[in-house]
Amino acid sequence: HRERIEDLLDKQSRELQDLECCNNQKLLLEYEKYQELQLKSQRMQEEYEKQLRDNDETKSQALEELTEFYEAKLQEKTTLLEEAQEDVRQQLREFEETKKQIEEDEDREIQDIKT
């Protein structure tokens, strides 16, 4: 009887050790998977943050390029406007000079007719 009990106890002890060993292996495997997932998550977070920085840089660069483009356009339009205003002033001066000459010619003709 005693031997049977001892055999059963030994068998149970071995089974418990096997079970413990198996559970430890499973636990190690799960821990390794957890570490891999944690590392993958960290890499994804770093990649996401890098993309955000890149997007911010791209957006800033695009904004800077657009600002430069429209500032150049504004300068070009300002120059064209100034040139047009100068043309109008020149035409006005020419008109006034022509008008003055016509008036002087008329005055002379009137004087010639009177004399």
Side-chain angles (χ1 to χ4, degrees):
H1 231 55
R2 194 174 272 265
E3 283 180 29
R4 174 90 172 122
I5 293 177
E6 286 178 13
D7 285 343
L8 285 174
L9 285 175
D10 284 344
K11 182 178 178 188
Q12 185 181 18
S13 177
R14 282 191 305 272
E15 287 175 358
L16 280 174
Q17 285 177 350
D18 289 346
L19 186 60
E20 185 179 350
C21 182
C22 186
N23 283 338
N24 283 340
Q25 287 176 347
K26 285 181 182 179
L27 186 61
L28 283 174
L29 276 174
E30 291 302 315
Y31 183 71
E32 287 173 4
K33 286 180 187 178
Y34 170 77
Q35 284 183 318
E36 288 174 11
L37 286 174
Q38 195 172 25
L39 184 61
K40 183 177 179 181
S41 173
Q42 182 180 354
R43 286 186 192 134
M44 287 174 64
Q45 179 71 24
E46 290 170 357
E47 180 62 28
Y48 175 73
E49 289 172 359
K50 181 184 180 298
Q51 287 177 353
L52 285 178
R53 284 190 305 273
D54 291 347
N55 287 345
D56 282 345
E57 290 172 12
T58 301
K59 183 175 73 174
S60 295
Q61 184 178 0
L63 181 60
E64 190 175 317
E65 289 173 2
L66 282 173
T67 301
E68 289 174 7
F69 174 78
Y70 283 108
E71 283 176 351
K73 282 283 188 192
L74 179 61
Q75 182 61 42
E76 179 183 328
K77 297 296 182 187
T78 301
T79 302
L80 288 173
L81 180 60
E82 289 171 353
E83 290 172 357
Q85 288 173 334
E86 182 57 36
D87 283 348
V88 167
R89 284 191 291 270
Q90 179 63 30
Q91 288 176 2
L92 185 58
R93 283 191 296 268
E94 290 173 3
F95 171 77
E96 291 297 329
E97 180 63 30
T98 303
K99 179 180 163 187
K100 181 181 172 188
Q101 288 175 359
I102 290 173
E103 287 173 352
E104 288 174 358
D105 288 346
E106 285 177 347
D107 288 345
R108 251 182 278 127
E109 285 181 15
I110 291 174
Q111 286 298 324
D112 287 346
I113 292 175
K114 286 183 177 181
T115 57

